Amino acid sequence: MHTIHRIKCGTDNCYIVENGKDAILVDTTSAPGYEMVLSECSKYNMKLVVLTHVHFDHAENAAKIADHFGIPVAVHKADLELFDSFDKQPLKSYGLVGRVVLGLSLKVLRETKVEKPSNLIYVSDGDSLSDYGIDAKILELPGHTNGSIGVDVGGTDLLVGDALDNWISPATGHLYSDLDAIKKTAEKIKSLGERTLHYGHGKATKNHFKILK
């Protein structure tokens, strides 16, 4: 049995997934949220940090949190280059919501360097997280970044990072590095059927969202 706890730091979310004692952290939010995230994580026996992708608002606290608990950080290899520079995978947007979000984010995305954790492990599609005490597996969800991933928990909940977002209403992620890939990712998520979706930005919903055609 698992429980998912949303930690909301401004407009950003990260999540603790726990089984009563053992837990993993999915994403870490940005630097201002560090103390809040650390406080919540300290309630559990933390086993792992999973990064859905390497943008500052999801990954900036990863190295510090991993060092604090002495745990590894899981990431997809296709996102490693983003530790060097956001511009390795520049973002575009669609729609008014996308243009506004990108316009507000672009400067800080370019100026904020995410510290690369010293204890990285690499994950890919289908990898189980059972060794960390959680009934969950990794899903590759490329498009927002090349190495974007999600965490499918117990076949009932999916943590999607920014593959989808719920800024106003749930939809295909409004910011993308690869438009075709993020469209295919949205279709992949839809095909999973009944799930509760947990977003990097916005409140959870059922698996009903607007797919960008």
Side-chain angles (χ1 to χ4, degrees), residues 120-142:
L120 286 176
I121 63 172
Y122 305 114
V123 292
S124 56
D125 204 56
D127 285 352
S128 172
L129 300 182
S130 60
D131 286 349
Y132 303 95
I134 301 298
D135 176 19
K137 65 179 181 180
I138 299 297
L139 291 183
E140 292 180 357
L141 303 175

Side-chain angles (χ1 to χ4, degrees), residues 29 53-60 79 82 86 89 91 109 114 144-145 162:
T29 75
H53 61 288
V54 181
H55 284 158
F56 80 97
D57 53 331
H58 295 256
E60 193 172 10
D79 261 20
L82 292 175
F86 158 78
Q89 297 179 36
L91 290 176
L109 277 165
V114 177
H144 179 69
T145 64
D162 286 355

Side-chain angles (χ1 to χ4, degrees), residues 10-141:
T11 60
D12 308 326
N13 300 323
C14 65
Y15 297 91
I16 293 173
V17 184
E18 49 93 354
N19 64 9
K21 180 182 178 182
D22 294 334
I24 65 171
L25 177 67
V26 180
D27 289 335
T28 70
T29 75
S30 57
Y34 174 72
E35 293 296 339
M36 180 189 297
V37 176
L38 185 67
S39 175
E40 292 300 313
C41 288
S42 295
K43 299 174 183 178
Y44 302 96
N45 180 28
M46 298 304 300
K47 295 284 194 175
L48 179 71
V49 176
V50 179
L51 297 180
T52 62
H53 61 288
V54 181
H55 284 158
F56 80 97
D57 53 331
H58 295 256
E60 193 172 10
N61 293 318
K64 288 177 66 177
I65 289 173
D67 286 347
H68 180 90
F69 292 105
I71 57 177
V73 177
V75 66
H76 194 284
K77 280 187 176 180
D79 261 20
L80 284 179
E81 62 187 1
L82 292 175
F83 285 112
D84 298 324
S85 172
F86 158 78
D87 285 319
K88 295 288 182 71
Q89 297 179 36
L91 290 176
K92 299 178 182 178
S93 65
Y94 76 88
L96 178 59
V97 170
R99 290 195 295 274
V100 170
V101 172
L102 185 58
L104 293 172
S105 306
L106 199 53
K107 186 174 186 289
V108 67
L109 277 165
R110 285 178 170 156
E111 292 181 352
T112 304
K113 184 175 174 61
V114 177
E115 180 183 355
K116 186 176 181 179
S118 59
N119 47 355
L120 286 176
I121 63 172
Y122 305 114
V123 292
S124 56
D125 204 56
D127 285 352
S128 172
L129 300 182
S130 60
D131 286 349
Y132 303 95
I134 301 298
D135 176 19
K137 65 179 181 180
I138 299 297
L139 291 183
E140 292 180 357
L141 303 175

Side-chain angles (χ1 to χ4, degrees), residues 3-4 8 28 68 74 76 99 107 110 182 187 192 208:
T3 304
I4 298 174
K8 185 177 184 296
T28 70
H68 180 90
H76 194 284
R99 290 195 295 274
K107 186 174 186 289
R110 285 178 170 156
I182 204 168
E187 295 287 356
L192 295 174
H208 304 291

